[in-house]
Amino acid sequence: MSNTIRIAIAADHGGYDLKEEIKTFTFDNLDIEWIDLGTHSTESVDYPEYGYKIAEIIKKKDADRGIAICGTGIGISIAANRDPYIRSAVCTNADMARLAREHNDANILALGARIIDRETAVACVETFLTTEFEGGRHERRVNKLSGGAHGT
Ligand code: RB5
């Protein structure tokens, strides 16, 4: 059985350019499968649609982790986090991305295209996709986030 990680990526118009760059500069260098949920241009769209889309695909377990991008990372993250299965973390550097995985078992990394540069975004994505959850004391805390068993 393949252990290849499956990634979903989504963005609004504010995150479109960074989404395309992440596909080129990150995904093409990693052993992953990925699906692009849009948007597919810089034409104005509403970020909640894309936050809900990425949350749904992760909840259905059709993808293991998600990368969600809007202007700040905030709006799309709020939308995704409305589902209790989702733990979306807005990160502005690779340390945050590492801790979001190690301590929070974040299943979505949210990025702000107006906030961070491409190099930082690529570092966040690479760290997020290659860092495992530490478990232990963090498991108990993460369980409390969704009011039930972690990961179900
Ligand atoms: C869209 O203009 C902008 O509001 C959106 O990309 C995001 O920053 C929302 O949180």
Side-chain angles (χ1 to χ4, degrees), residues 12-13 47 70-72 74-75 114:
D12 75 351
H13 55 288
Y47 61 80
C70 65
T72 58
I74 295 171
R114 293 182 187 162

Side-chain angles (χ1 to χ4, degrees), residues 74-92:
I74 295 171
I76 201 164
S77 191
I78 290 173
N81 273 325
R82 297 184 77 81
D83 187 316
Y85 183 75
I86 299 302
R87 293 175 299 280
S88 174
V90 184
C91 297
T92 55

Side-chain angles (χ1 to χ4, degrees), residues 10-150:
D12 75 351
H13 55 288
Y16 169 76
D17 287 339
L18 184 58
K19 171 168 71 65
E20 298 307 303
E21 291 181 327
I22 285 170
K23 282 158 52 181
T24 304
F25 290 95
T26 307
F27 289 2
D28 291 352
N29 299 327
L30 294 171
D31 179 25
I32 60 170
E33 287 171 14
W34 55 266
I35 180 169
D36 183 345
L37 303 175
T39 186
H40 299 293
S41 76
T42 54
E43 190 180 326
S44 184
V45 293
D46 296 335
Y47 61 80
E49 311 280 350
Y50 295 88
Y52 299 147
K53 264 192 198 186
I54 198 164
E56 190 187 351
I57 198 165
I58 287 170
K59 187 177 188 174
K60 279 168 49 193
K61 302 191 177 174
D62 288 336
D64 304 305
R65 287 183 213 163
I67 311 295
I69 312 166
C70 65
T72 58
I74 295 171
I76 201 164
S77 191
I78 290 173
N81 273 325
R82 297 184 77 81
D83 187 316
Y85 183 75
I86 299 302
R87 293 175 299 280
S88 174
V90 184
C91 297
T92 55
N93 61 54
D95 264 349
M96 289 178 76
R98 177 178 58 79
L99 288 164
R101 288 290 310 134
E102 287 179 350
H103 290 191
N104 311 114
D105 199 14
N107 48 16
I108 295 180
L109 168 69
L111 299 172
R114 293 182 187 162
I115 307 299
I116 57 173
D117 59 22
R118 184 183 79 200
E119 195 179 43
T120 306
V122 166
C124 288
V125 172
E126 284 178 353
T127 301
F128 185 75
L129 297 184
T130 55
T131 304
E132 292 308 317
F133 179 46
E134 269 181 15
R137 68 189 188 282
H138 302 296
E139 179 94 35
R140 181 182 70 246
R141 295 163 184 165
V142 170
N143 278 340
K144 289 184 178 181
L145 290 174
S146 50
H150 171 215

